[in-house]
Amino acid sequence: MDGTMAGSYPQIKLYAVSTCSHCRALMEFLQQNRLPFEFVYVDELLGEERRDTIKKVKQVNKRCSFPTTVIGEAVVVGFKEDELKEVLGI
């Protein structure tokens, strides 16, 4: 999905690992709620792109754990459905 805004939702960027069940569940949650989002599988990146992406994740989540979701100015670490709903207003 692309990162265009739909309705009044802020931009959603998901940093994930391709083998992570919590990451997959979070993606399914966003898709089921028809929320546009961008995602990147950090483990599939190489070289400088991977280093730069990990640096971005560490700026919002010092532990660099996954999934890390950036929703506008908010950050949700892990798949916390109630917290995501609150941040998204759904």
Side-chain angles (χ1 to χ4, degrees), residues 24-58:
R24 284 193 300 275
L26 194 138
M27 283 184 173
E28 289 175 17
F29 166 81
L30 294 171
Q31 290 169 341
Q32 288 171 352
N33 285 280
R34 300 180 187 264
L35 298 168
F37 66 98
E38 295 178 13
F39 74 94
V40 61
Y41 284 134
V42 178
D43 60 319
E44 293 181 354
L45 302 176
L46 300 172
E48 190 173 330
E49 185 178 20
R50 183 179 182 135
R51 283 189 299 275
D52 290 347
T53 301
I54 288 172
K55 186 176 179 180
K56 287 179 190 175
V57 173
K58 285 184 177 181

Side-chain angles (χ1 to χ4, degrees), residues 1 5-6 8 11 17 23 25-29 31 39 47 56-57 73 76-77 85-86 89:
M1 297 184 125
M5 301 285 284
S8 61
Q11 183 175 2
V17 174
C23 298
L26 194 138
M27 283 184 173
E28 289 175 17
F29 166 81
Q31 290 169 341
F39 74 94
K56 287 179 190 175
V57 173
E73 299 295 319
V76 178
V77 177
K85 286 180 177 180
E86 183 178 327

